[in-house]
Amino acid sequence: MAYIQTAGEAVARIAYISSHVVLSIQPALAIDTAFSKHLHHYSTSRSPGLVANDPPQILPLRHNVDPLLSAFQPLRSGKLVSVTTSSAVLLPSIPHLYKLAQFPIVLHVSLHPSSSPDYSEITAIRQSGFIFLQSETLQESQDLALSAHALAIKSGKGVIHFFDPENSRHDAPIECEDRDLVSNVLELDSPRIVRPAKDENTSLYVDDGRRATISDENSLAPRSSQSERENAKDTSPQTGTDKGSTGGGSSVGSSVRESSADSRPTISSATSVESTVVRPVTSDDVYDFLDTIWTKIHQATGRSYRTFEYTGPENAESALFIFGSTGLFVDELGANKSSDEFAKCGLVTARLYRPWNGPQLAASLPPSVRRIAVLEQIRRKTTKWGPVLLDVLTSLRTGPSANGSPLIVGHQLGYIEPATVRQALRGIFQNLASPTPIQNLEVGSKGGPPQSSNHYDLAQPKVESAYMKILDQVFGERLYLANRLDAANAGISATVAASPEYGFGSLLARSEHRTRFINEVKTAAATHDFATDVPQSWLSKWALNAEDSKIVNAVAPDVIARLSNDGSRLSSTLLQSKSLFFKESQWLIGSDAWAYDLGNSGVHHVLASGANVNMLIIDSQPWSEPAAADAVRRKKDIGLYAMNFGNAYVASVAVYSSYTQVLEAMIEADGFDGPSVVVAYLPYNREDDSPLTVLQETKKAVDLGYWPLYRWNPSNEENGEPNFSLDSERIKQELEEFLKRENHLTQLMNRHPQFAANLSESYGTEVRALQKRKAKDAYDAMLESLYGAPMTILFASDNGNAESLAKRLGNRGKARGLKTMVMAMDDYPLEDLSTEENVILITSTAGQGEFPQNGRAFWDAVKDTTELDLSQIRYAVFALGDSHYWPRKEDKHYYNKPGKDLDARMAFFGGQKLADVGLGDDQDPDSYQTGYGEWEPKLWQALGVDNVEGLPEEPPPITNEDIKIQSNFLRGTIAEGLEDTSTGAISASDQQLTKFHGTYMQDDRDLRDERKAQGLEPAYAFMIRCRLNGGVATPAQWLQMDSISSSYGNETMKLTTRQTFQFHGVVKSKLKSAMRGINKALMTTIAACGDVNRNIMVSPLPTRSAFHRDVHRISARISDHLLPSTTAYHEIWLKDNDSDEKQTKVAGDAVVDQEPLYGPTYLPRKFKITIAVPPHNDTDVYAHDIGLIAIKDTEGSRLEGFNVLVGGGMGVTHNNKKTYPRTGSMLGYYPASQVHLACEKIMLVQRDHGDRTNRKHARLKYTIDDMGVDVFRSKVEELLEAKFESARPFEFQSNIDTFGWQKDEFGMNHFLMFIENGRVEDTVEFPMKTGLHEIAKVHKGDFRLTPNQHLCLSGVPDSDLEMMQGMLKRYKLDNLHFSGMRLSSSACVAFPTCGLAMAESERYLPELISKLEGCLEENGLKQDSIVMRMTGCPNGCARPWLAEVAFVGKAYGAYNMYLGGGYHGQRLNKLYRSSIMEEEILGIMKPLLKRYSLEREAGERFGDFVIRIGIIKPTKEGKRFHEDVAEEESDPE
């Protein structure tokens, strides 16, 4: 049985199971409280609650963001809400507490500081209308937490349950709560009092008059008189109160109190209820409810509770009433013997603090008590007499018990060391026994123990520094943040000083100061008190332009210089305020983390004032969180609020969506004469979230319209420009529709406020449900006219196999006379499932045994429901998977897990099997078709249609070869698809053809789930890859590529491992414009992808410019010679449809419509050529279909010819041992003048002999292995009519780039800069794209892209060297202070755009290296080059199989690890571990790196080292890649 260790855990568990919503209030989202870590655990594990079918919502909130405001919406909608918090939030929340007291909300309050809590935060709110319960021990915290929830439900009132966690820290663990007892006490089977409010058009800031009421016909019992209650005391479930006594079910811990259900007086006489009367809940009702609750707990557990707990002897003469931490006193008094000095002393504490039950206090005390010491642990005392002392005095000195009442003396309880508790008690009782006792005597240390406070200082989260850095970069010394955290504000708390409202006040004062200074300058300029006349003219010029920031900031340094030289007294006086000569860019920051704008008061004051103040408001609430739907909290509406003022500049920005737009907005805001509000999105769940998490959340919010990007500038009207600029380019049309819908819904909500929550929350769900229903109804209507039994086929498919199988099964069913319907699982309305007759479910397997994307929602619904009755349906399941995909035995259950789980769930709901679950295995001879071929006949037999005659022959599936031959030389229907505005996609066949044109259709996988949930198609966009021979671009071409990326793409460029430019995020409507823009730069994209020869790579060779020109010229000849000849590219992308132009030119060369080399079917697969120049193998010459190794002439200065390698290739399929990477085989030497013909003939042999039936076996590497190198060579030589000579000697020394400045033989300078993973973009830390843009404006040489994704600035003359070095430094492009591993790393794009990616790559590899760099530093390896590469899938775009260390994506977050590649790129690596996560990666790499540092031989590379020490075996040829791996795949189950 599980045990509970702490009071925080006990309370968190009760709150979780007893609530619909739990507000977890924390100092910061990344800092856990006594409650939050447990709540997070329950939430992530989806532990069930009791009050609702679904797990409750856990909403983490910072303590400084007016957190109780978030209770408003769920309470209004009738939900049970609880709050877990420290006492620090209570006083700032007083305005809310008076209203919340009339709702059934429970606040569980952990008193702080933890080691010596201050109870004044409880007494300060005692009159707020809440019910207050106090617990002291671990067991009491559980029981009273439950009591608080039951009391809130019964009374409809708010309950505050407070406790000191330190008091029970040493208590023995207790058992977890009894869920049956919780259900009984909460009376979940009974109708609940809580109902949704009738009028939701109110705010917590305004009292709407709600009061907790009760109907007397529902009362628990007739009202009783005071005498009856007092008589009932004798029959209550009490236990003895002798010193040290305990009952069998008493609380565990330091308390030895026993308690009972209370009997309470009332002011009414006994009556019976004869009619229904709705009245406010009274104190007597609370006492009655609590009686019932505690009686149930007592009957179930034996534990008893009463309003006031008395512990001690029956003949006690003195008593302590403690309102504070009791643990030390209880232990000390409980340990006394009868002869001890404290033998006749008792102790009293309040279980129910409010409503205060005075008569019950008197009844709880033995009659012998003559003296009472009231100890109040209250630090902030505001009155002479403590509030608890007054309560006790009122209870015992008034009424019938006043005569003969005991002496009552108040004491102030401070911190007491455990060793001095007896001394403290002695002092208390001595004062109590004194003839003239001292009132308010202080006991213990007032300040508490040293460093006892768990106070959290406000801090700006690191993730929010992005916007601060942009402000600093844009405005530099001009920037003034009025409410910055480090500002010195004497006597003002950091929380207040950081608030925008306070900052605005300080800005007004600062502005007034500068206005006075301007007047002083004007006066000074008119005097003759200067030593010379020079300052006067400069001051006059300054004063005339004092409000023009551009002019005044340029003049200010000169003015200051003239005054400094003048030396007069007046000059010295003015210089005392010299900072005011500059016009600052003044900003206020609003941030939930550290600068919370309570009630948006700062915004309102700024707008209402009309002052020239800029305000940046950071919204960190992830849009996907439930709290984001709370209209009271949505900062996106601040922009609309500000625009309604009409006098303000307003912008909505998101740095992780558009960095450029943020810059534009901030510059425009600063230039606007009036108030400016920039609302900035930066969503994160915790302050320590990674930038990747923030990026993904931002993209979802912007793409779906939750956070539109726009700028509103009222001053634009003066220039005849529109005020409103919408910057969410991707979704401009969708956003306009979104805004219309928002407007319609707003009107509807205002008209019918009671439906507002449902309307705003459920719109996306309604759209999705409506789409499903329409699709299903359309199928039903179509099938009505058909005969035969119905068969519904539902599929879940990521790569298309399950979908095609489902459609084929549907066609075969129709041929057998069945009425078939085929749908994706997620498109099917689940509520119809029980009405079907025959259901077939086909699913593939994704990730770690997960459902594919279009089946996850269906599975979640089937998995979570308990109300599905499938007893009337028949079903069958077929699953597709790979039995070797997860090789470790402990992971074998992932094999076909979705299908197996679905089969078990269908059977659980009573479905009747048509056939046992079929398992398709990619490891079978015919892949999944083997298992399917056995399963399908069983299905037809079960359906009684197995012997149907005259079945038509099925047409063969359409292959890529069919698509190519039917495309009319790559035309297809691409032109028509581009004109179709109903979708952002193109047809499947056109998707294959556009690859030949240099573009792939993709969708943003970060957004797939959210767009689907909103009823939208995927966020389709296109990747464009340029054909850039040898990777050389002019500055003009660079500027054009930069412009294209900003105007048509996602504002970034990718320098690819194919040594060219790549753009992402180009939507279909901009695709043609982007293509034309590329052509305008005399570049093209034709044949950058597809089954043709692609971009030819060349070593950048910065030190050998003449040799580079020779090699580059040959590469251009080969590229032009092998270029496709079809005019389709020019007709589709470049030709003006309105003209009569018959031919179009690309880069000035006329084209003709024929394919003399390729023919109508082109090549079986892609074809790649690269050229390497020894000793640098920086193009990975062994990894390509043709690898040309440049050979110098006898003088060693010019190109003579090439050694020709053939058959290299990287593409692999996980666990398919028929696929493997391969390094090129040597054919021999061929002269440079004829090498283009050799390349042509090699390509033609592949064209004619390559495998066109199996694309996984179609690359040249398989053709050569099938034919043999000698046979292949002979066929090439036969076409060439010439022989290859013997290979010439050469030597490679590395395959990485050589960074830094280098000189060539002509004295020109070249700088090879590090561009991590080739991504050219602007970030807050690194304005790389802007820097390269500025450099391109003045550069006179060229840019050379490297195959390792870096960039060489080539051809810088000595005369420009200093200027260029300065520009590189200014934009941080000269920074090469990275680890050798980082400089030698490379990654493909992967998520979010690549449709083949199984895991992150480009976005993750930098993080992984960062986590290894500490280890590298420790072991002296920081500067050592270790080649590490990562790809998101096994297709190998970053050529991982040649790296010394490689990680290849297997599933999201899981990678295969490969070791042993050659440092020169000459040897393949080998599988070391399969399907490992980050923790395992680090656990392997760190010890291995340490061994390398200690055991390596001189000059030994890491890849060679791991082979030598036996970690991995070498891969000597591609066919042996899967042999002798370090982790053998275990047999499937």
Side-chain angles (χ1 to χ4, degrees), residues 165-240:
E166 188 69 15
N167 210 51
S168 59
R169 186 163 64 92
H170 301 293
D171 287 7
I174 63 172
E175 294 181 1
C176 292
E177 69 285 342
D178 182 338
R179 293 175 76 91
D180 291 335
L181 171 62
V182 176
S183 297
N184 182 31
V185 172
L186 296 181
E187 297 184 0
L188 295 179
D189 296 333
S190 304
R192 197 155 50 85
I193 294 174
V194 187
R195 297 181 181 88
K198 293 181 180 179
D199 182 9
E200 297 193 4
N201 193 22
T202 60
S203 165
L204 272 183
Y205 294 115
V206 180
D207 189 351
D208 63 355
R210 176 188 170 100
R211 293 294 179 269
T213 59
I214 188 172
S215 175
D216 268 346
E217 70 173 0
N218 292 327
S219 296
L220 298 172
R223 313 292 295 200
S224 58
S225 67
Q226 180 175 339
S227 60
E228 289 172 324
R229 290 178 179 275
E230 291 173 349
N231 292 335
K233 177 180 177 182
D234 296 333
T235 60
S236 301
Q238 296 185 54
T239 57

Side-chain angles (χ1 to χ4, degrees), residues 785-920:
S785 60
L786 302 178
Y787 297 96
M791 181 173 72
T792 299
I793 304 170
L794 305 178
F795 64 84
S797 177
D798 270 342
N799 59 10
N801 287 337
E803 180 177 0
S804 62
L805 206 58
K807 291 177 177 177
R808 189 175 77 182
L809 181 65
N811 290 332
R812 290 180 175 182
K814 287 178 184 177
R816 286 170 164 76
L818 301 174
K819 294 190 293 185
T820 63
M821 176 177 70
V822 182
M823 297 181 74
M825 290 182 187
D826 280 2
D827 292 334
Y828 182 84
L830 185 62
E831 62 270 19
D832 285 2
L833 190 60
S834 59
T835 65
E836 301 288 355
E837 187 172 332
N838 301 300
V839 178
I840 314 301
L841 302 121
I842 300 177
T843 177
S844 57
T845 306
Q848 291 180 295
E850 300 159 8
F851 269 78
Q853 196 86 17
N854 56 359
R856 290 178 187 173
F858 177 87
W859 169 243
D860 287 343
V862 170
K863 177 183 63 176
D864 294 339
T865 186
T866 58
E867 302 174 355
L868 202 58
D869 180 7
L870 302 182
S871 58
Q872 302 303 311
I873 76 166
R874 298 189 297 172
Y875 78 94
V877 177
F878 186 78
L880 295 80
D882 185 338
S883 60
H884 284 192
Y885 198 79
W886 299 98
R888 296 183 295 194
K889 289 185 178 180
E890 61 267 29
D891 295 335
K892 282 299 176 183
H893 64 286
Y894 293 142
Y895 169 57
N896 273 326
K897 187 175 185 294
K900 294 175 183 177
D901 288 348
L902 200 52
D903 180 68
R905 199 65 177 162
M906 297 292 285
F908 174 80
F909 288 121
Q912 305 168 47
K913 285 189 181 182
L914 288 164
D916 289 335
V917 59
L919 301 177

Side-chain angles (χ1 to χ4, degrees), residues 467 635-636 639 649-654 661-662 665 677-681 702 706-712 725 727-728:
Y467 288 108
K635 291 187 182 62
K636 60 174 259 186
Y649 175 89
V650 184
S652 175
V653 303
Q661 191 237 1
V662 177
V677 177
V678 178
V679 192
Y681 197 49
V702 173
Y706 170 80
W707 195 271
L709 305 182
Y710 62 82
R711 287 167 292 138
W712 166 271
S725 300
D727 298 317
S728 304

Side-chain angles (χ1 to χ4, degrees), residues 133 175 206 209 232 244 313-314 320 474 529 553 560 589 614 629 900 1064 1096 1119 1239 1303:
L133 295 176
E175 294 181 1
V206 180
E314 287 295 337
L320 301 180
V474 173
D529 295 339
N553 290 328
I560 294 171
I589 309 298
N614 307 307
K900 294 175 183 177
H1064 292 271
I1096 297 180
S1119 179
C1239 291
K1303 267 191 184 295

